[in-house]
């Protein structure tokens, strides 16, 4: 199966700092790149998503940067808070496709220290 | 709005036994997904339903896994017989999308944690 490669596997950030998580994809047929946030014992929840026709999307403290030529995208969490401590997954999918299923990365466990 | 409901939340069985998981999607959502999430990994799609029809089951181990979605609402996922490597969290998700429309947000349930001894 096609993979989206996610790094780092884990990340520790001080409160107020910037958290950065990176993903790389292979198949340029994918044109929908969401980020999901998962707390322990809960299912993943959509955080923010981007399509390749824009290079950046910002929602509050969360920003996706997209580099189409490098086939990479990243999540930036500004002013990180202890409540942001969770596992983050990037994914790839087909916007407008008939299936809509997502292929997920392996996840990044973020810990924000007070 | 009620979220995706799953039961049971936890299940412990011995290998070669059978097990079934139940999912009730968000009301009105046409599409239902079952994912397998092994510890330390991202969710992997097992099967996708559009109403009560199967859209994609290419990664479902059909020799032991089966799933159905009767009347296009609730769904059950069954494993028979279970293997040690089936230990994982089984996530159900739903989305309002219908075929041919743009990608909708997938809403996940809390999952069922299966331990196979």
């Amino acid at each position: 199966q096609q993979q989206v490669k996610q790094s780092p596997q884990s990340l520790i950030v001080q409160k107020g700092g910037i958290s950065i998580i990176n993903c790389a994809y292979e198949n340029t047929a994918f044109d929908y790149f969401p980020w999901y946030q998962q707390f322990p014992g809960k299912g993943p929840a959509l955080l923010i998503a981007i399509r390749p026709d824009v290079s950046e999307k910002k929602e509050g403290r969360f920003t996706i940067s997209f580099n189409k030529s490098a086939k990479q995208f990243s999540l930036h969490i500004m002013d990180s808070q202890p409540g942001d401590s969770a596992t983050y997954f990037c994914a790839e999918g087909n916007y407008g496709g008939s299936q809509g299923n997502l292929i997920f990365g392996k996840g990044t466990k973020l810990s924000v220290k007070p | 709005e009620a979220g995706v409901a799953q039961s049971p939340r936890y299940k412990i069985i011995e290998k070669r036994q059978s097990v079934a998981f139940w999912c009730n999607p968000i009301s009105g959502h046409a599409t239902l997904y079952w994912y397998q999430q092994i510890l330390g990994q991202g969710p992997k799609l097992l099967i996708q339903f559009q109403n009560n029809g199967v859209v994609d089951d290419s990664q479902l181990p059909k020799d032991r896994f089966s799933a159905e979605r009767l009347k296009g609402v609730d769904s059950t996922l069954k494993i028979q017989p279970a293997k040690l490597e089936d230990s994982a969290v089984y996530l159900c998700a739903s989305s309002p999308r219908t075929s041919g429309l743009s990608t909708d947000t997938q809403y996940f349930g809390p999952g069922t944690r299966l331990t196979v001894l």
Side-chain angles (χ1 to χ4, degrees):
Chain A
Q1 183 188 15
Q2 293 279 355
Q3 272 195 348
V4 55
K5 296 178 182 178
Q6 185 172 345
S7 64
Q9 187 174 353
S10 62
L11 181 61
I12 300 175
V13 173
Q14 288 296 123
K15 178 182 175 181
I18 301 174
S19 303
I20 302 174
I21 305 170
N22 302 299
C23 281
Y25 63 99
E26 299 173 349
N27 190 339
T28 55
F30 291 114
D31 61 359
Y32 174 69
F33 300 93
W35 285 90
Y36 277 77
Q37 180 188 55
Q38 186 175 29
F39 293 103
K42 305 290 186 182
L46 179 66
L47 189 62
I48 187 172
I50 197 169
R51 295 190 63 199
D53 51 352
V54 297
S55 60
E56 186 175 282
K57 183 174 181 180
K58 183 176 181 179
E59 290 184 2
R61 296 184 293 110
F62 301 92
T63 300
I64 300 179
S65 297
F66 194 90
N67 186 330
K68 189 174 182 178
S69 60
K71 294 192 287 185
Q72 294 177 346
F73 59 108
S74 60
L75 175 69
H76 296 236
I77 306 175
M78 311 300 288
D79 186 26
S80 298
Q81 299 296 314
D84 297 331
S85 297
T87 300
Y88 293 81
F89 295 96
C90 62
E92 56 187 8
N94 285 307
Y95 192 88
S98 61
Q99 294 187 338
N101 53 294
L102 298 173
I103 298 172
F104 286 84
K106 291 189 175 182
T108 297
K109 185 173 182 180
L110 171 65
S111 297
V112 180
K113 300 300 184 185
Chain B
E1 179 184 69
V4 176
Q6 290 188 247
S7 68
R9 291 296 311 277
Y10 305 92
K11 191 73 176 179
I12 300 174
I13 62 172
E14 297 197 348
K15 60 182 179 182
R16 290 188 290 274
Q17 286 187 324
S18 63
V19 65
F21 313 125
W22 174 81
C23 172
N24 186 19
I26 293 173
S27 178
H29 280 198
T31 306
L32 185 147
Y33 309 81
W34 282 102
Y35 288 86
Q36 180 192 57
Q37 186 175 21
I38 293 173
L39 185 65
Q41 296 188 22
K44 184 186 83 170
L45 181 71
L46 292 175
I47 189 167
Q48 177 187 350
F49 291 94
Q50 189 70 47
N51 296 307
N52 61 350
V54 175
V55 174
D56 183 0
D57 64 356
S58 58
Q59 296 192 82
L60 187 73
K62 298 180 186 64
D63 58 335
R64 297 184 301 105
F65 286 64
S66 64
E68 61 181 5
R69 189 183 184 194
L70 299 176
K71 301 180 181 179
V73 182
D74 294 7
S75 178
T76 56
L77 176 69
K78 297 180 181 178
I79 308 175
Q80 183 180 11
K83 293 185 175 181
L84 296 176
E85 58 261 35
D86 298 333
S87 293
V89 174
Y90 290 85
L91 294 163
C92 179
S94 69
S95 71
R97 65 177 278 124
T98 56
S99 178
L101 296 180
S102 61
T103 300
D104 292 323
T105 299
Q106 293 186 28
Y107 297 86
F108 284 82
T112 296
R113 181 177 296 276
L114 173 67
T115 302
V116 182
L117 303 176

